[in-house]
Amino acid sequence: MGKNGLWNEDHFGFDLLKVDEIAMPSLKIAVQMDPLEQVNPKGDSTFALMLEAQARGHTLYEYHVNSLRYETHPESKGFALLCQARQVQVFREGAQHEGAQHAQFSPYETLDLGQTDVVLMRQDPPFDMGYISATYMLERIHGIGEGKTLIVNNPRAVRDAPEKLVAMNFPALMPPTLVTWSSEAIKAFRAEHGDIILKPLYGNGGVGIFRLSAQDENLSSLLEFYFSTSREPLMVQRFVPAVKAGDKRIILVDGEVAGAINRMPQEGEIRSNMHVGGVAQPIGLTERDKEICTAIGPFLKREGLIFVGIDVIGEWLTEINVTSPTGIQELDRFNHTNTAALVWQAIESKFPS
């Protein structure tokens, strides 16, 4: 059990310290995110991370990815990664502030991200060329030590770990899976496995996911439509009936388990994403869950993927979410924990006290 008395046996690998029990560096933090005014402060994981950072004495800025600019300076043989950012204070609830009920902003200013301590890369997918371009820019300043900025998660690892593809590093943990442009290969996969799930490889939030039974006559038409409108391959997986009992989101921090929630699909749905009406429920970890986390934890830690959410249906790992994982506010409400504090404890440990 941690010193705050909150962690149960499913929360292993951590000893969460209270803020006033540890000597923390004061960090300058920039959050690359979607408009803060539009987030739900009672459910948004980025908002929870910002609240905790502020409580720990750090300075917060927020900016949007489309304000990034990368400049070279031949006279100094250097470069700068700049953005238009606002210093911000965040508030849990109940206060009225100019611009949003849950945030108060300073005027926009030009911020040199290379002069910050931490950048949280938290804008939502899709994982497209815009997203990839941002990782290339941020990678130029990423690192630990003088003159470097810690990017969370590591932009190279994010770029190399598209959420559906990276799970395929662990084939023994996944249901039978196919990634292809070939309609014939997909049809053969369904003939072998029966019910299947089709997913856009770089989609998010449950958008564009279809279940097709062995008898469904729409497969050819659906594939024709998809491949006529997209140059990307599809991911196909054997349907896992256990999804009717929920899709488990397990949060890992620096490779260690922080906890899990179960996302139940609505009646008549196979998608459990909360963006499409899935309902979060408390849940513990099974031995299989722990086996999966033990297998992938060292990889996440080695790659600098500090804040990760994995999806487990029944006995099977289906996705490893590294771009902008969610679920920590629901997790903390069920378990009376502070997952954002774990994330910041892991980040702060990278800096000398």
Side-chain angles (χ1 to χ4, degrees), residues 18-60:
K18 295 178 181 177
V19 173
D20 58 2
E21 291 179 336
I22 54 179
M24 298 178 299
S26 180
L27 302 176
K28 186 175 182 179
I29 298 160
V31 186
Q32 178 176 300
M33 64 183 300
D34 299 313
L36 179 56
E37 297 93 328
Q38 298 175 18
V39 307
N40 174 9
K42 296 183 179 181
D44 188 81
S45 292
T46 304
F47 186 78
L49 289 167
M50 295 174 78
L51 270 177
E52 180 63 25
Q54 181 175 276
R56 298 169 87 85
H58 303 318
T59 302
L60 288 171

Short mmCIF file of all heavy atoms in Angstrom, two decimals, residues 18-60:
data_model
loop_
_atom_site.label_atom_id
_atom_site.label_comp_id
_atom_site.label_asym_id
_atom_site.label_seq_id
_atom_site.Cartn_x
_atom_site.Cartn_y
_atom_site.Cartn_z
N LYS A 18 2.85 11.95 -1.29
CA LYS A 18 2.12 13.20 -1.27
C LYS A 18 3.03 14.32 -1.78
O LYS A 18 4.25 14.25 -1.67
CB LYS A 18 1.63 13.52 0.14
CG LYS A 18 0.61 12.51 0.67
CD LYS A 18 0.21 12.87 2.09
CE LYS A 18 -0.80 11.84 2.63
NZ LYS A 18 -1.15 12.13 4.03
N VAL A 19 2.40 15.36 -2.33
CA VAL A 19 3.18 16.44 -2.92
C VAL A 19 4.16 17.03 -1.93
O VAL A 19 5.30 17.34 -2.27
CB VAL A 19 2.23 17.53 -3.47
CG1 VAL A 19 3.01 18.73 -3.94
CG2 VAL A 19 1.38 16.98 -4.60
N ASP A 20 3.73 17.21 -0.69
CA ASP A 20 4.61 17.88 0.27
C ASP A 20 5.63 16.93 0.89
O ASP A 20 6.40 17.33 1.75
CB ASP A 20 3.78 18.55 1.38
CG ASP A 20 2.88 17.57 2.13
OD1 ASP A 20 2.93 16.36 1.82
OD2 ASP A 20 2.12 18.01 3.01
N GLU A 21 5.68 15.68 0.47
CA GLU A 21 6.63 14.72 1.02
C GLU A 21 7.88 14.60 0.16
O GLU A 21 8.82 13.91 0.54
CB GLU A 21 5.98 13.35 1.16
CG GLU A 21 4.91 13.29 2.24
CD GLU A 21 4.27 11.91 2.32
OE1 GLU A 21 4.30 11.19 1.31
OE2 GLU A 21 3.74 11.57 3.38
N ILE A 22 7.89 15.22 -1.04
CA ILE A 22 9.03 15.08 -1.92
C ILE A 22 9.50 16.45 -2.38
O ILE A 22 8.72 17.37 -2.51
CB ILE A 22 8.70 14.20 -3.15
CG1 ILE A 22 7.47 14.74 -3.89
CG2 ILE A 22 8.49 12.76 -2.76
CD1 ILE A 22 7.11 13.95 -5.11
N ALA A 23 10.81 16.56 -2.60
CA ALA A 23 11.37 17.80 -3.12
C ALA A 23 11.29 17.74 -4.63
O ALA A 23 11.94 16.92 -5.27
CB ALA A 23 12.82 17.94 -2.65
N MET A 24 10.47 18.63 -5.22
CA MET A 24 10.23 18.58 -6.65
C MET A 24 10.85 19.78 -7.32
O MET A 24 10.78 20.89 -6.78
CB MET A 24 8.73 18.57 -6.94
CG MET A 24 7.98 17.39 -6.39
SD MET A 24 6.22 17.55 -6.75
CE MET A 24 5.85 19.07 -5.88
N PRO A 25 11.41 19.62 -8.51
CA PRO A 25 11.81 20.79 -9.28
C PRO A 25 10.57 21.51 -9.77
O PRO A 25 9.53 20.90 -10.00
CB PRO A 25 12.59 20.17 -10.45
CG PRO A 25 12.00 18.80 -10.61
CD PRO A 25 11.64 18.35 -9.22
N SER A 26 10.65 22.84 -9.89
CA SER A 26 9.56 23.59 -10.49
C SER A 26 9.78 23.60 -11.99
O SER A 26 10.81 24.05 -12.48
CB SER A 26 9.55 25.03 -9.95
OG SER A 26 8.49 25.75 -10.53
N LEU A 27 8.83 23.05 -12.74
CA LEU A 27 9.00 22.82 -14.16
C LEU A 27 8.14 23.79 -14.98
O LEU A 27 7.04 24.16 -14.57
CB LEU A 27 8.60 21.39 -14.52
CG LEU A 27 9.37 20.27 -13.80
CD1 LEU A 27 8.81 18.91 -14.19
CD2 LEU A 27 10.86 20.35 -14.11
N LYS A 28 8.66 24.16 -16.14
CA LYS A 28 7.92 24.94 -17.11
C LYS A 28 7.37 23.97 -18.14
O LYS A 28 8.13 23.30 -18.85
CB LYS A 28 8.85 25.96 -17.77
CG LYS A 28 8.17 26.94 -18.71
CD LYS A 28 9.19 27.98 -19.20
CE LYS A 28 8.54 29.02 -20.10
NZ LYS A 28 9.55 30.03 -20.55
N ILE A 29 6.04 23.88 -18.22
CA ILE A 29 5.38 22.81 -18.97
C ILE A 29 4.50 23.42 -20.05
O ILE A 29 3.68 24.32 -19.77
CB ILE A 29 4.52 21.95 -18.03
CG1 ILE A 29 5.41 21.26 -16.99
CG2 ILE A 29 3.71 20.92 -18.81
CD1 ILE A 29 4.65 20.80 -15.78
N ALA A 30 4.65 22.93 -21.28
CA ALA A 30 3.77 23.32 -22.38
C ALA A 30 2.93 22.11 -22.78
O ALA A 30 3.46 21.00 -22.93
CB ALA A 30 4.59 23.81 -23.57
N VAL A 31 1.64 22.33 -22.94
CA VAL A 31 0.72 21.25 -23.29
C VAL A 31 0.21 21.48 -24.71
O VAL A 31 -0.46 22.47 -24.98
CB VAL A 31 -0.46 21.16 -22.31
CG1 VAL A 31 -1.32 19.94 -22.62
CG2 VAL A 31 0.03 21.13 -20.87
N GLN A 32 0.57 20.57 -25.62
CA GLN A 32 0.08 20.62 -27.00
C GLN A 32 -1.24 19.86 -27.02
O GLN A 32 -1.29 18.65 -26.83
CB GLN A 32 1.10 19.96 -27.92
CG GLN A 32 0.70 19.90 -29.38
CD GLN A 32 1.79 19.32 -30.25
OE1 GLN A 32 2.89 19.86 -30.30
NE2 GLN A 32 1.51 18.21 -30.91
N MET A 33 -2.34 20.58 -27.26
CA MET A 33 -3.65 19.97 -27.06
C MET A 33 -4.69 20.61 -27.97
O MET A 33 -4.44 21.62 -28.62
CB MET A 33 -4.08 20.12 -25.59
CG MET A 33 -4.28 21.56 -25.14
SD MET A 33 -4.71 21.72 -23.38
CE MET A 33 -6.24 20.79 -23.29
N ASP A 34 -5.86 20.01 -28.00
CA ASP A 34 -7.02 20.61 -28.63
C ASP A 34 -7.52 21.74 -27.72
O ASP A 34 -7.12 21.83 -26.55
CB ASP A 34 -8.09 19.55 -28.85
CG ASP A 34 -7.59 18.43 -29.76
OD1 ASP A 34 -6.99 18.74 -30.80
OD2 ASP A 34 -7.77 17.24 -29.42
N PRO A 35 -8.38 22.64 -28.21
CA PRO A 35 -8.76 23.81 -27.42
C PRO A 35 -9.20 23.46 -26.00
O PRO A 35 -10.14 22.69 -25.80
CB PRO A 35 -9.89 24.43 -28.24
CG PRO A 35 -9.56 24.06 -29.66
CD PRO A 35 -8.99 22.67 -29.56
N LEU A 36 -8.53 24.05 -25.03
CA LEU A 36 -8.82 23.76 -23.63
C LEU A 36 -10.24 24.20 -23.26
O LEU A 36 -10.88 23.58 -22.40
CB LEU A 36 -7.79 24.48 -22.75
CG LEU A 36 -7.93 24.35 -21.24
CD1 LEU A 36 -7.93 22.89 -20.80
CD2 LEU A 36 -6.79 25.11 -20.54
N GLU A 37 -10.72 25.26 -23.91
CA GLU A 37 -12.07 25.74 -23.61
C GLU A 37 -13.13 24.68 -23.88
O GLU A 37 -14.21 24.73 -23.29
CB GLU A 37 -12.39 26.98 -24.44
CG GLU A 37 -11.51 28.18 -24.15
CD GLU A 37 -10.31 28.26 -25.08
OE1 GLU A 37 -9.80 27.18 -25.51
OE2 GLU A 37 -9.86 29.38 -25.37
N GLN A 38 -12.83 23.72 -24.76
CA GLN A 38 -13.83 22.75 -25.20
C GLN A 38 -13.77 21.43 -24.44
O GLN A 38 -14.61 20.56 -24.68
CB GLN A 38 -13.66 22.51 -26.70
CG GLN A 38 -13.88 23.74 -27.54
CD GLN A 38 -13.58 23.52 -29.02
OE1 GLN A 38 -13.53 22.38 -29.50
NE2 GLN A 38 -13.37 24.60 -29.75
N VAL A 39 -12.82 21.25 -23.55
CA VAL A 39 -12.72 19.96 -22.87
C VAL A 39 -13.74 19.88 -21.74
O VAL A 39 -14.21 20.90 -21.21
CB VAL A 39 -11.29 19.71 -22.31
CG1 VAL A 39 -10.25 19.87 -23.39
CG2 VAL A 39 -10.99 20.60 -21.11
N ASN A 40 -14.06 18.65 -21.36
CA ASN A 40 -14.93 18.39 -20.22
C ASN A 40 -14.06 18.24 -18.98
O ASN A 40 -13.36 17.23 -18.83
CB ASN A 40 -15.74 17.10 -20.45
CG ASN A 40 -16.54 16.70 -19.23
OD1 ASN A 40 -16.66 17.45 -18.25
ND2 ASN A 40 -17.11 15.50 -19.27
N PRO A 41 -14.06 19.22 -18.08
CA PRO A 41 -13.14 19.15 -16.93
C PRO A 41 -13.42 17.98 -16.00
O PRO A 41 -12.55 17.60 -15.22
CB PRO A 41 -13.35 20.49 -16.22
CG PRO A 41 -14.71 20.95 -16.65
CD PRO A 41 -14.88 20.44 -18.05
N LYS A 42 -14.62 17.39 -16.08
CA LYS A 42 -14.94 16.26 -15.20
C LYS A 42 -14.54 14.91 -15.79
O LYS A 42 -14.64 13.90 -15.10
CB LYS A 42 -16.44 16.27 -14.88
CG LYS A 42 -16.88 17.49 -14.09
CD LYS A 42 -18.35 17.43 -13.72
CE LYS A 42 -18.76 18.65 -12.90
NZ LYS A 42 -20.19 18.61 -12.52
N GLY A 43 -14.10 14.91 -17.06
CA GLY A 43 -13.75 13.63 -17.66
C GLY A 43 -12.45 13.62 -18.44
O GLY A 43 -11.94 12.54 -18.75
N ASP A 44 -11.90 14.79 -18.75
CA ASP A 44 -10.75 14.86 -19.65
C ASP A 44 -9.45 14.54 -18.92
O ASP A 44 -9.14 15.13 -17.88
CB ASP A 44 -10.68 16.25 -20.26
CG ASP A 44 -9.64 16.35 -21.35
OD1 ASP A 44 -9.93 15.94 -22.49
OD2 ASP A 44 -8.52 16.81 -21.05
N SER A 45 -8.67 13.62 -19.49
CA SER A 45 -7.42 13.20 -18.85
C SER A 45 -6.36 14.29 -18.91
O SER A 45 -5.57 14.46 -17.97
CB SER A 45 -6.89 11.92 -19.51
OG SER A 45 -7.74 10.83 -19.23
N THR A 46 -6.31 15.06 -20.02
CA THR A 46 -5.34 16.15 -20.11
C THR A 46 -5.61 17.19 -19.04
O THR A 46 -4.68 17.70 -18.40
CB THR A 46 -5.40 16.79 -21.50
OG1 THR A 46 -5.18 15.78 -22.49
CG2 THR A 46 -4.34 17.87 -21.65
N PHE A 47 -6.88 17.50 -18.82
CA PHE A 47 -7.24 18.46 -17.79
C PHE A 47 -6.77 17.97 -16.41
O PHE A 47 -6.25 18.75 -15.61
CB PHE A 47 -8.74 18.71 -17.80
CG PHE A 47 -9.18 19.80 -16.86
CD1 PHE A 47 -9.03 21.13 -17.22
CD2 PHE A 47 -9.74 19.50 -15.63
CE1 PHE A 47 -9.44 22.14 -16.35
CE2 PHE A 47 -10.15 20.50 -14.76
CZ PHE A 47 -10.00 21.83 -15.13
N ALA A 48 -6.96 16.69 -16.14
CA ALA A 48 -6.51 16.14 -14.85
C ALA A 48 -5.00 16.26 -14.70
O ALA A 48 -4.49 16.57 -13.62
CB ALA A 48 -6.95 14.68 -14.73
N LEU A 49 -4.26 16.00 -15.78
CA LEU A 49 -2.80 16.14 -15.74
C LEU A 49 -2.40 17.59 -15.48
O LEU A 49 -1.45 17.85 -14.73
CB LEU A 49 -2.20 15.65 -17.05
CG LEU A 49 -2.25 14.15 -17.30
CD1 LEU A 49 -1.91 13.83 -18.76
CD2 LEU A 49 -1.30 13.40 -16.37
N MET A 50 -3.12 18.53 -16.07
CA MET A 50 -2.81 19.94 -15.87
C MET A 50 -3.12 20.37 -14.43
O MET A 50 -2.34 21.11 -13.81
CB MET A 50 -3.57 20.79 -16.88
CG MET A 50 -3.14 20.54 -18.32
SD MET A 50 -4.16 21.41 -19.54
CE MET A 50 -3.48 23.07 -19.40
N LEU A 51 -4.24 19.93 -13.91
CA LEU A 51 -4.58 20.25 -12.51
C LEU A 51 -3.50 19.77 -11.56
O LEU A 51 -3.08 20.49 -10.64
CB LEU A 51 -5.91 19.59 -12.14
CG LEU A 51 -7.20 20.35 -12.36
CD1 LEU A 51 -8.38 19.47 -11.97
CD2 LEU A 51 -7.23 21.65 -11.54
N GLU A 52 -3.04 18.54 -11.76
CA GLU A 52 -2.03 17.98 -10.88
C GLU A 52 -0.70 18.70 -11.02
O GLU A 52 -0.02 18.96 -10.02
CB GLU A 52 -1.87 16.49 -11.16
CG GLU A 52 -0.83 15.78 -10.29
CD GLU A 52 -1.15 15.79 -8.81
OE1 GLU A 52 -2.34 15.90 -8.45
OE2 GLU A 52 -0.21 15.67 -8.00
N ALA A 53 -0.33 19.03 -12.26
CA ALA A 53 0.92 19.77 -12.46
C ALA A 53 0.88 21.11 -11.73
O ALA A 53 1.85 21.52 -11.08
CB ALA A 53 1.17 19.97 -13.95
N GLN A 54 -0.24 21.79 -11.84
CA GLN A 54 -0.41 23.07 -11.17
C GLN A 54 -0.33 22.91 -9.65
O GLN A 54 0.33 23.70 -8.96
CB GLN A 54 -1.76 23.67 -11.57
CG GLN A 54 -2.08 25.01 -10.99
CD GLN A 54 -3.38 25.54 -11.57
OE1 GLN A 54 -3.42 26.13 -12.63
NE2 GLN A 54 -4.48 25.30 -10.85
N ALA A 55 -0.96 21.87 -9.12
CA ALA A 55 -0.92 21.62 -7.68
C ALA A 55 0.49 21.34 -7.19
O ALA A 55 0.81 21.59 -6.02
CB ALA A 55 -1.84 20.45 -7.33
N ARG A 56 1.34 20.84 -8.09
CA ARG A 56 2.71 20.52 -7.72
C ARG A 56 3.67 21.70 -7.93
O ARG A 56 4.88 21.54 -7.81
CB ARG A 56 3.17 19.30 -8.52
CG ARG A 56 2.34 18.06 -8.24
CD ARG A 56 2.59 16.93 -9.21
NE ARG A 56 3.70 16.07 -8.82
CZ ARG A 56 3.61 15.03 -7.98
NH1 ARG A 56 2.44 14.74 -7.43
NH2 ARG A 56 4.67 14.30 -7.69
N GLY A 57 3.11 22.86 -8.26
CA GLY A 57 3.91 24.07 -8.34
C GLY A 57 4.53 24.35 -9.69
O GLY A 57 5.39 25.22 -9.82
N HIS A 58 4.09 23.63 -10.73
CA HIS A 58 4.65 23.84 -12.05
C HIS A 58 3.90 24.94 -12.80
O HIS A 58 2.74 25.24 -12.50
CB HIS A 58 4.59 22.54 -12.85
CG HIS A 58 5.29 21.39 -12.18
ND1 HIS A 58 6.51 21.52 -11.55
CD2 HIS A 58 4.93 20.09 -12.01
CE1 HIS A 58 6.88 20.36 -11.04
NE2 HIS A 58 5.93 19.47 -11.31
N THR A 59 4.56 25.53 -13.78
CA THR A 59 3.97 26.59 -14.61
C THR A 59 3.46 25.98 -15.90
O THR A 59 4.17 25.22 -16.57
CB THR A 59 5.03 27.66 -14.93
OG1 THR A 59 5.53 28.21 -13.70
CG2 THR A 59 4.42 28.78 -15.77
N LEU A 60 2.21 26.31 -16.26
CA LEU A 60 1.54 25.69 -17.40
C LEU A 60 1.33 26.68 -18.55
O LEU A 60 0.89 27.81 -18.33
CB LEU A 60 0.17 25.15 -16.98
CG LEU A 60 0.14 23.90 -16.11
CD1 LEU A 60 -1.29 23.66 -15.61
CD2 LEU A 60 0.63 22.68 -16.88
#
